[in-house]
Amino acid sequence: MNGPEQDARLLAAPAISLPMPSSATSSRPAFVRSDAADTGNKRPPITLNIPFGDANPGIIEFAKGKIPGDQDAMRIVASWCVSQKEWEALSWLCRNTTLTRLTICDTSFDDSGAQTLREIMLCDTAIKTLDLSNNLFGAGIAKAFCEGLKSNRTLTTLNFDNRMCGKYGDREFAIRLSEALQSNTALTTINLSIMCAVNAGASALIQALEVNKSLKNFTLLTLAVGPGVANALSEALHANTTLKKLHLSQLGMEDAGAEAIASALAGNPSLESLDLGRNRFSSKGIMALVAVLKTNSTLKELSLCGNKISPADMEHLADALKANTSLVSLNLDMCGAGDDGVKALTAALSGNAALVSLSVEMCGMRDDGAKAFAAALSGNTSLKAIRFGWNDISQEGAMALLEALRSNTTLTGFSMSYPDPALQEEIAALLERNRRIPETISGAEAFFHLVNRTGNPDSAVLPEEVNRLILGDLVQAPRGINTAGQMKEQIDPPPRKS
């Protein structure tokens, strides 16, 4: 399932342990880091682990030290209990000039923590990515953090996955954050997972999109909001023409929300990625979204996972896909379409040349649906990845899909939940074969051009070897080369004149 997109480099990089001193008189902790980890051009984040307890002098000692000049990421992992002195010590980050990525997790933010976070936000440090996931915030964080965010000019990515304290904590935070977003002009990506107990919180956040023109990626994952967000969505998407990604999963939206989004998509020139997973759309809402796919030319990614899609709705979706030329990724996991719905969907695969990734996991597909997909894959050359996981496919259906993969040379991603190690090994081998084809074919074509350009008389001994490589091992010959004879004719130069 598609979830909020976070800073991949930061999350993927290994945590590097920073040992804590055992007492206040201990020497300063040494930074320990493994440079062997492959994290691209960035160092792996230094991690400061704060053990559970009322007094952890290590963090205070750490604040007196210096971060290596080439260190650009830091991850603070606490055991929920951070003292006031430790929060004050962390305000040292306000003077930081090297860190660009900061993660604080497993922490309980009291008023002291809220104040430290506010100071960091107000200082306009070098930090561009701030991840505050998996924390517990007190009532004071809403005002303190959002005041800092209002005027911050350097932060570009915010990940926030937390639970607020107090009966109305989440709603208050959402409303204050909405106000901050209407003033902030630096953030481009925000990923939120909070519990907006009433519509007011979610609606306020969405309304901020009417004013904010700097955000490009907006994710809101929440629970227990209802139809009240539809009007906010409609107004925001009609007014905002800069947003690229909008992920609104698990909002409890009903058909009015789907219709509002469909209406906005008809005239929105910027939105490229839309996640509406796990909402409460009926056939009416699905049909509104399907209809706009026939004319929309900007949307590239769409997720409808977890929304019920009937076989009749799937037929209309297939018709829309035949007309659509922009959508490259479609997620229909857990849609409950069954074999009849899947069969209807496969009708679009032969007429659509744009779709690159398709997921139909847990949709109730059986062998008949698998066979329909197998037949469709034989005539489709655009799909690169397809997922069939967690369906009720027996050996008969699995073998049909495997046979289709054997003759397909474009799929490089393929997953199927069938407990047969030999079958899974062959799937892996076929996918690896397909991944190698573009590089090898490109190299062969370059070789042909080189031979033709140089007119090498010794090239006459090479065709058999090249034929075996291209036509034998890789199944697919270079463009315009269909037989061994044609290949030999292209490679062999004309005879020299005496």
Side-chain angles (χ1 to χ4, degrees), residues 104-252:
I104 304 178
C105 59
D106 297 343
T107 305
S108 178
F109 279 76
D110 56 13
D111 289 345
S112 298
Q115 186 61 27
T116 294
L117 199 54
R118 176 181 179 274
E119 291 176 6
I120 293 173
M121 299 297 293
L122 287 173
C123 287
D124 281 338
T125 65
I127 297 171
K128 294 187 178 298
T129 297
L130 178 62
D131 191 334
L132 296 176
S133 299
N134 198 30
N135 294 300
L136 183 65
F137 287 111
I141 190 68
K143 182 178 180 180
F145 175 75
C146 293
E147 280 183 357
L149 185 62
K150 275 185 180 181
S151 57
N152 183 278
R153 295 172 295 179
T154 56
L155 194 68
T156 59
T157 300
L158 173 63
N159 300 321
F160 195 96
D161 179 3
N162 301 281
R163 175 66 178 163
M164 306 295 291
C165 294
K167 184 176 181 181
Y168 300 108
D170 291 312
R171 182 180 66 178
E172 180 189 355
F173 175 75
I175 293 173
R176 288 186 179 274
L177 181 58
S178 173
E179 296 171 355
L181 290 177
Q182 294 179 49
S183 300
N184 183 286
T185 59
L187 271 179
T188 59
T189 297
I190 185 166
N191 300 313
L192 300 172
S193 179
I194 55 178
M195 299 288 289
C196 296
V198 293
N199 289 334
S203 296
L205 287 169
I206 292 171
Q207 286 169 358
L209 297 177
E210 291 185 51
V211 178
N212 188 297
K213 297 300 187 293
S214 61
L215 276 174
K216 298 294 186 291
N217 310 304
F218 182 88
T219 295
L220 178 59
L221 175 65
T222 185
L223 298 171
V225 300
V229 300
N231 290 335
L233 270 173
S234 178
E235 294 174 4
L237 291 180
H238 276 97
N240 189 302
T241 57
T242 57
L243 198 67
K244 298 291 185 183
K245 293 184 179 182
L246 180 62
H247 291 187
L248 301 173
S249 183
Q250 298 186 45
L251 261 68

Side-chain angles (χ1 to χ4, degrees), residues 15 20 46-52 59 74-80 82 103-107 134-135:
M20 303 300 301
I46 264 184
T47 296
L48 177 62
N49 291 298
I50 306 174
F52 181 82
I59 192 171
M74 179 177 177
R75 188 167 183 263
I76 300 173
V77 183
S79 298
W80 300 109
V82 180
T103 297
I104 304 178
C105 59
D106 297 343
T107 305
N134 198 30
N135 294 300

Side-chain angles (χ1 to χ4, degrees), residues 99-434:
L99 289 176
T100 61
R101 300 172 292 158
L102 174 64
T103 297
I104 304 178
C105 59
D106 297 343
T107 305
S108 178
F109 279 76
D110 56 13
D111 289 345
S112 298
Q115 186 61 27
T116 294
L117 199 54
R118 176 181 179 274
E119 291 176 6
I120 293 173
M121 299 297 293
L122 287 173
C123 287
D124 281 338
T125 65
I127 297 171
K128 294 187 178 298
T129 297
L130 178 62
D131 191 334
L132 296 176
S133 299
N134 198 30
N135 294 300
L136 183 65
F137 287 111
I141 190 68
K143 182 178 180 180
F145 175 75
C146 293
E147 280 183 357
L149 185 62
K150 275 185 180 181
S151 57
N152 183 278
R153 295 172 295 179
T154 56
L155 194 68
T156 59
T157 300
L158 173 63
N159 300 321
F160 195 96
D161 179 3
N162 301 281
R163 175 66 178 163
M164 306 295 291
C165 294
K167 184 176 181 181
Y168 300 108
D170 291 312
R171 182 180 66 178
E172 180 189 355
F173 175 75
I175 293 173
R176 288 186 179 274
L177 181 58
S178 173
E179 296 171 355
L181 290 177
Q182 294 179 49
S183 300
N184 183 286
T185 59
L187 271 179
T188 59
T189 297
I190 185 166
N191 300 313
L192 300 172
S193 179
I194 55 178
M195 299 288 289
C196 296
V198 293
N199 289 334
S203 296
L205 287 169
I206 292 171
Q207 286 169 358
L209 297 177
E210 291 185 51
V211 178
N212 188 297
K213 297 300 187 293
S214 61
L215 276 174
K216 298 294 186 291
N217 310 304
F218 182 88
T219 295
L220 178 59
L221 175 65
T222 185
L223 298 171
V225 300
V229 300
N231 290 335
L233 270 173
S234 178
E235 294 174 4
L237 291 180
H238 276 97
N240 189 302
T241 57
T242 57
L243 198 67
K244 298 291 185 183
K245 293 184 179 182
L246 180 62
H247 291 187
L248 301 173
S249 183
Q250 298 186 45
L251 261 68
M253 282 192 297
E254 298 181 351
D255 292 337
E259 291 174 329
I261 292 172
S263 173
L265 278 178
N268 187 294
S270 62
L271 200 64
E272 296 178 353
S273 179
L274 180 62
D275 184 352
L276 299 175
R278 299 187 185 185
N279 282 291
R280 301 171 183 171
F281 304 146
S282 71
S283 180
K284 183 180 179 181
I286 295 295
M287 290 303 299
L289 293 168
V290 166
V292 78
L293 286 180
K294 293 183 178 180
T295 56
N296 181 279
S297 60
T298 57
L299 198 65
K300 297 179 180 179
E301 301 174 357
L302 175 63
S303 174
L304 295 174
C305 73
N307 291 288
K308 185 171 178 57
I309 304 178
S310 69
D313 294 339
M314 199 69 85
E315 287 183 10
H316 290 288
L317 176 58
D319 289 339
L321 289 176
K322 290 178 182 178
N324 185 284
T325 59
S326 62
L327 198 69
V328 297
S329 176
L330 179 61
N331 187 331
L332 299 175
D333 294 345
M334 301 183 294
C335 67
D339 274 347
D340 290 340
V342 166
K343 288 179 183 178
L345 178 64
T346 58
L349 295 184
S350 59
N352 180 292
L355 203 62
V356 173
S357 175
L358 175 64
S359 186
V360 285
E361 295 187 331
M362 299 177 68
C363 67
M365 182 170 61
R366 294 174 178 268
D367 288 342
D368 286 348
K371 291 177 183 177
F373 257 113
L377 288 177
S378 63
N380 182 285
T381 57
S382 64
L383 273 176
K384 306 296 185 204
I386 190 164
R387 296 189 293 274
F388 297 106
W390 306 107
N391 282 292
D392 192 13
I393 301 174
S394 72
Q395 183 179 17
E396 183 180 359
M399 292 306 297
L401 288 171
L402 178 61
E403 189 60 36
L405 183 58
R406 286 170 177 164
S407 60
N408 182 293
T409 57
T410 57
L411 279 171
T412 55
F414 183 100
S415 64
M416 175 173 57
S417 301
Y418 187 75
D420 184 341
L423 182 144
Q424 296 295 344
E425 287 179 7
E426 182 171 359
I427 289 175
L430 291 171
L431 295 177
E432 179 59 26
R433 176 204 67 185
N434 290 354

Side-chain angles (χ1 to χ4, degrees), residues 443-457:
E445 288 182 327
F447 170 77
F448 296 147
H449 289 303
L450 178 63
V451 169
N452 288 335
R453 182 168 57 84
T454 60
N456 180 3

Side-chain angles (χ1 to χ4, degrees), residues 47-67:
T47 296
L48 177 62
N49 291 298
I50 306 174
F52 181 82
D54 294 329
N56 298 311
I59 192 171
I60 300 174
E61 289 296 307
F62 160 78
K64 298 176 183 177
K66 293 182 179 180
I67 293 179

